[in-house]
Amino acid sequence: MNDKTNGHVRLEVDRLELTRNDRVIFTDLSFTLEAGQILQVEGHNGAGKTSLLRILCGLTMPSEGVVRWCGENMRDDRDRYYADLCYVGHYPGVKEELTPLENLAMVKSLGRIREGVDIEEVLERIGLPFGHEDQLCSRLSAGQRRRIALARLLVTDARLWILDEPFTALDIAGRRMVEEMLMSHAKAGGMVILTTHHAVELGDCNVKMLHLGA
């Protein structure tokens, strides 16, 4: 990744509030995330975990507050922010009419790409069985589609990973693979924000916890 260890790389969330149908989901929410840190967001259903991630991705507008990336309001420099961001939502977001190779080729054509990345090697690393790379994604299992979605993280050169329930549909080996990806990214100076209902083992990484809701 390019210049990930730069000390100015920081995500700042300043006094966010989200109101929906006259109900306050969360208010006065502030935190910072530095290079090399992982933030795990917890809370009961309806506490606003996914909504928070959508705000951080620019997909939902907060009622109040601001998100800053490297000191600038992320909405004032969207191109820079989105070039540094890779989001994998609760649903895989895989195009089922394409093959795994075609899905990742599309990602490769759109974003900032890791230098020297090889799509077939990425699919092997994320554990897609040999011979499945040319099958339509509609024919793959939920766990295999989840692996393809997560493979986007290894194709792009994004500093900030935002992941909503990344362990969904994965077996034990798949969950361990994701943990290793998170640890490797953080130790290389990357940043991760994730929600999960699973216990996560991230070794000696710098992990922060954020609990939403009463």
Side-chain angles (χ1 to χ4, degrees):
M1 284 176 202
N2 299 324
D3 196 30
K4 275 200 317 190
T5 56
N6 188 318
H8 297 292
V9 176
R10 172 186 294 179
L11 179 74
E12 298 172 88
V13 172
D14 186 11
R15 298 182 181 180
L16 283 189
E17 179 177 305
L18 179 63
T19 302
R20 185 179 296 142
N21 298 325
D22 296 325
R23 173 179 170 241
V24 176
I25 307 301
F26 51 73
T27 188
D28 200 28
L29 177 62
S30 300
F31 62 85
T32 61
L33 195 67
E34 308 278 354
Q37 293 184 328
I38 297 173
L39 177 68
Q40 185 172 341
V41 182
E42 297 182 327
H44 58 77
N45 290 339
K49 300 186 297 298
T50 293
S51 296
L52 172 61
L53 299 195
R54 288 180 60 83
I55 289 172
L56 298 179
C57 292
L59 300 174
T60 297
M61 285 286 292
S63 307
E64 300 287 346
V66 65
V67 178
R68 299 187 185 91
W69 178 245
C70 302
E72 299 292 334
N73 187 328
M74 65 96 156
R75 294 189 175 276
D76 293 338
D77 195 355
R78 289 173 181 256
D79 289 344
R80 178 187 182 189
Y81 182 62
Y82 289 147
D84 281 330
L85 170 68
C86 189
Y87 170 60
V88 178
H90 184 66
Y91 296 101
V94 170
K95 290 189 175 295
E96 296 191 352
E97 68 274 18
L98 301 180
T99 68
L101 283 173
E102 290 169 339
N103 266 279
L104 293 191
M106 182 177 65
V107 172
K108 192 174 180 181
S109 69
L110 295 175
R112 195 173 74 183
I113 304 306
R114 288 179 187 267
E115 185 176 351
V117 69
D118 183 287
I119 292 176
E120 293 189 358
E121 290 180 0
V122 168
L123 290 173
E124 181 179 356
R125 179 178 171 185
I126 57 97
L128 187 71
F130 179 75
H132 287 58
E133 63 275 9
D134 290 317
Q135 292 189 20
L136 294 180
C137 290
S138 60
R139 299 178 181 175
L140 303 181
S141 70
Q144 289 165 347
R145 291 195 296 272
R146 171 63 56 180
R147 288 172 184 264
I148 296 164
L150 293 166
R152 298 201 298 265
L153 301 170
L154 303 179
V155 172
T156 67
D157 195 34
R159 291 182 173 103
L160 175 61
W161 293 359
I162 297 183
L163 313 176
D164 194 2
E165 299 291 341
F167 301 101
T168 298
L170 294 178
D171 57 15
I172 293 175
R175 294 198 293 270
R176 184 56 190 162
M177 173 199 70
V178 176
E179 291 173 342
E180 291 173 353
M181 288 170 58
L182 301 182
M183 288 188 288
S184 177
H185 185 62
K187 289 178 179 179
M191 305 153 75
V192 180
I193 300 175
L194 78 153
T195 67
T196 179
H197 289 97
H198 294 87
V200 185
E201 177 52 60
L202 296 173
D204 60 354
C205 287
N206 186 347
V207 180
K208 302 172 69 174
M209 306 297 292
L210 174 65
H211 189 85
L212 299 180

